[in-house]
Amino acid sequence: MPRYRLIVRGVVQGVGFRPFVKRLADRMGVRGSVCNTGDGVVIEVVTDVSGAQEFAAALHREKPPLAAIEECRIESVVAHGEVPDGFTIELSQPIPGAFTLVSPDIATCPDCLAEIRDRGNRRYRYAFTNCTNCGPRYTIIRQTPYDRANTTMAAFAMCNACAAEYADPADRRFHAEPAACAACGPSLSEPVEKTIAALMRGEVVAVKGLGGFQLACDALSTSACAKLRERKRRNRKPFAVMMRDPATAERYCELGEGERALLQSRAAPIVLLQMRERGVFPDALAPGLGHVGVMLPCTPLHHLLLDGPLACLVMTSGNITEEPIVIDNDEATAKLAPLADRFLLHNRDIFMRADDSVTRWYEGAPRMIRRARGYAPEAIDLGFETGGALGVGAELKNTFCLTKGHYAIVSQHIGDFENLETQQFFEETLRNLKSVYHAEPQVLAHDLHPDYLSTRWALAQPLPKIAVQHHHAHIAACMAENGIREPVIGVAWDGTGYGTDGAVWGGEFLVCDYSGFERAAHLRYVPLIGGDRAAREGWRMAAAHLYDAFGPAYPTAAEPIRGLASPAWWKTFDQLLTRPAPQTSSCGRLFDAVSALTGICPQSSFEGEGAMLLEAAAAGCDYDDAYPFAICEDGAPWTIDTRPTIRAIAAERATGHHPNRIASTFHGTLGHMIKTLSVKLRDKTGLNKVCLSGGSFQNATLLSHVLPMLRNEGFDVFLHSRVPANDGGISLGQAVIAATFLRRT
Ligand code: ZN
Ligand code: ZN
Ligand code: FE
């Protein structure tokens, strides 16, 4: 009897693939075996060639919901040994240098949820219930192949009942590697009821979650939220809320079909939702904002916490401000003690830390804001062989990106690369992803900014390296995830990125592809007064823009913001302007200026708050107006003159226009700027594809102005979906540019 081998690659481990193959073979009456290798899944079948092809077709047709088959190769094998009796699942065989895709963590499935709610079930209220369709994956896998022995579940020996399920092809837990029960699996440090009682008393509890510790408190308690905010010293960044179920989310927030599906998806991310009315949550939860980040329970433990009397819990990353999320019990009890009144621990180790992902639903797709649990380390198919490149990412919202074969693997959100702890997190994650993907980069790409710690880290590595301009990387990332290989018009608008002329760029129009870029146009330069402080103190940028717009006559226009700075500061302001100051074309800083000028956000407590509050103010008022602006086409690059815009805003402010209306018109103006420039650049270059990237394009109000305008002009417009538009997407662009460089050399 002939034998054939089917080599299946893709997301085929940790998703119930081998049990599925076994059931399929039994049903089709095919003898043979299946096993995981470091390279995917290998199936041997005793059958003729048409039988093997039929089997492959059935694999594609009936594969488990979480599986993704990228490739299924059929090879004939020389028969050896006896013909097997039936169909068996064999022990995994590691293949050195091989490559398989690792599954992200998957939220509790409906079957497991039903079990933990069923008094008669042996897993009733068991906090670590999972099956082949759900449960921890990336955060517990130490190395591939994906077997229990290679996960942090290795410490727990299965009891007889669990072992029987694991061995039973008819069972939902057949070969479910992390399966466990109360008799044999991980356990909690205290009964969930005690934690719930503490939360009801208004205490802050540090909960060991899936990818790290979370700080929880009653989301409807003003004092609990205020206490948590004060302890976290978290300025005004909003907290996320975990809600019991979609019905609860709908009670407090607007919930469309897309938002609902995203909340209930297997990644179970935080989704930004519009509040039904402001004031339903304590002000300390999301100060000044009309939207709130909501997620549903993603593990049985979270379901148990929310199945009681509390339907809404704040769930924020358990970390010291600016440090990575804490994963270790001892580290947690030491570091989080000042923040938490109480701990809910367990004894299953977290191997890879991963924060909760943050998303927004926009135009039929999820948009990543922070990509971590539930999404990492999903690979992005680039459609070309990459060699092997590493993009080390930007300074803030850092991620890195490895390429291997035709895949790009973007790490989970690492954080702001500004302390040793974050650098260690970066290094441990890089080590892990290199190991599980057997990836050895040949070339390394870093930001052009010489002082980014990620750049300094890169420069110390013994590999060929290339510097990639920040906004070029933004657009390349947008191209890569949209599968674009030819030149595009790239609009890269954000807060800050080091330019080739040493200025702080951030309102850029590029004509580019993966091999290079031309800076075609940018927002007019203004002095960046106060350096980094300009990002927090919007009045500095307002003063700079007013001086730019009015010249020596600026003091009258600056009247509304005069009180924000000391008289002494204003005295020195003139001198500041005569000194050489760094120049900036930043869109983010323009947002800060307008936010301060309108009184909406004179002072930010984190970068981007000015823009967020301006967006919140503009939301809901639909004016089609725009302020004037000019385009200066002498020389290259062209510039967008924002002085007429600033003059108009100052005039409206002086005549008592409502700030919300100014905010809305300002968004419309930016839309017109982008449209006008895109048309001019199309006339010049013949290009019709426009890629929008950079943190400014997380602003849904800006998108809602820009997109219809561009589409009315017939442009093909591309946005981010799989990686963030913010600096979390930079590493993908860097890696693709580096991989292209490698191909050409
Ligand atoms: Zn399940
Ligand atoms: Zn058990
Ligand atoms: Fe950026």
Side-chain angles (χ1 to χ4, degrees), residues 535-557:
R536 302 262 161 117
E537 296 167 339
W539 47 268
R540 292 175 183 271
M541 288 313 298
H545 272 284
L546 288 172
Y547 183 83
D548 186 45
F550 291 95
Y554 81 90
T556 319

Side-chain angles (χ1 to χ4, degrees), residues 109 112 131 134 172:
C109 74
C112 287
C131 72
C134 75
R172 191 155 55 80

Side-chain angles (χ1 to χ4, degrees), residues 470-471 474 494-496 694-695 726-727 730:
H470 188 94
H471 301 94
H474 267 308
D494 63 1
T496 174
N726 64 39
D727 285 3
I730 287 280

Side-chain angles (χ1 to χ4, degrees), residues 215-513:
L215 292 166
C217 75
D218 180 355
L220 297 176
S221 157
T222 304
S223 58
C225 290
K227 179 162 73 176
L228 178 56
R229 180 161 299 281
E230 189 196 303
R231 288 188 188 166
K232 260 207 119 183
R233 279 181 280 143
R234 207 190 180 190
N235 45 57
R236 293 193 295 262
K237 266 188 195 170
F239 291 139
V241 184
M242 186 176 273
M243 297 194 185
R244 181 184 294 150
D245 48 24
T248 308
E250 191 154 33
R251 188 174 319 140
Y252 296 105
C253 302
E254 308 283 346
L255 199 60
E257 280 310 303
E259 283 89 357
R260 180 186 296 269
L262 186 52
L263 279 172
Q264 294 182 280
S265 66
R266 65 195 212 221
I270 296 169
V271 183
L272 295 189
L273 298 178
Q274 197 64 39
M275 295 179 200
R276 283 204 182 275
E277 50 187 308
R278 293 202 191 179
V280 289
F281 295 107
D283 189 52
L285 199 125
L289 298 174
H291 61 254
V292 59
V294 174
M295 66 180 142
L296 299 180
C298 57
T299 73
L301 174 58
H302 293 104
H303 279 289
L304 293 174
L305 284 171
L306 284 142
D307 271 355
L310 295 167
C312 300
L313 290 175
V314 165
M315 281 285 172
T316 189
S317 300
N319 58 357
I320 314 262
T321 305
E322 312 308 339
E323 283 189 15
I325 188 166
V326 171
I327 56 173
D328 179 78
N329 285 352
D330 293 338
E331 188 192 4
T333 37
K335 280 194 171 173
L336 302 181
L339 281 70
D341 299 307
R342 192 181 193 88
F343 288 84
L344 179 56
L345 307 172
H346 63 70
N347 56 348
R348 183 179 74 202
D349 286 343
I350 298 168
F351 183 65
M352 260 298 107
R353 55 187 100 216
D355 283 90
D356 293 315
S357 293
V358 183
T359 64
R360 172 176 228 164
W361 183 263
Y362 190 81
E363 280 206 336
R367 312 290 168 182
M368 294 297 135
I369 293 167
R370 182 171 75 193
R371 182 182 172 278
R373 176 187 57 75
Y375 295 102
E378 256 173 17
I380 293 169
D381 191 344
L382 296 174
F384 67 94
E385 275 301 314
T386 61
L390 168 64
V392 301
E395 172 100 325
L396 300 179
K397 303 181 177 72
N398 179 271
T399 62
F400 63 82
C401 174
L402 282 167
T403 69
K404 164 105 182 183
H406 47 99
Y407 292 111
I409 299 110
V410 180
S411 75
Q412 69 271 38
H413 167 82
I414 303 287
D416 295 349
F417 211 119
E418 52 189 19
N419 53 49
L420 190 62
E421 286 77 5
T422 308
Q423 181 170 327
Q424 283 164 349
F425 178 22
F426 175 96
E427 287 173 339
E428 80 193 19
T429 308
L430 179 59
R431 225 173 10 250
N432 180 46
L433 279 176
K434 270 164 68 174
S435 139
V436 297
Y437 284 116
H438 307 286
E440 241 352 288
Q442 308 298 306
V443 63
L444 183 154
H446 58 82
D447 197 273
L448 198 59
H449 200 305
D451 297 329
Y452 276 5
L453 288 183
S454 57
T455 303
R456 292 199 187 159
W457 183 89
L459 292 176
Q461 304 305 307
L463 272 179
K465 36 195 94 70
I466 62 171
V468 178
Q469 200 280 324
H470 188 94
H471 301 94
H472 185 205
H474 267 308
I475 300 301
C478 184
M479 292 169 64
E481 73 156 284
N482 286 291
I484 301 173
R485 311 268 296 273
E486 70 273 20
V488 297
I489 297 169
V491 187
W493 281 17
D494 63 1
T496 174
Y498 192 80
T500 52
D501 59 357
V504 177
W505 295 8
E508 311 306 309
F509 291 80
L510 311 181
V511 172
C512 67
D513 59 14

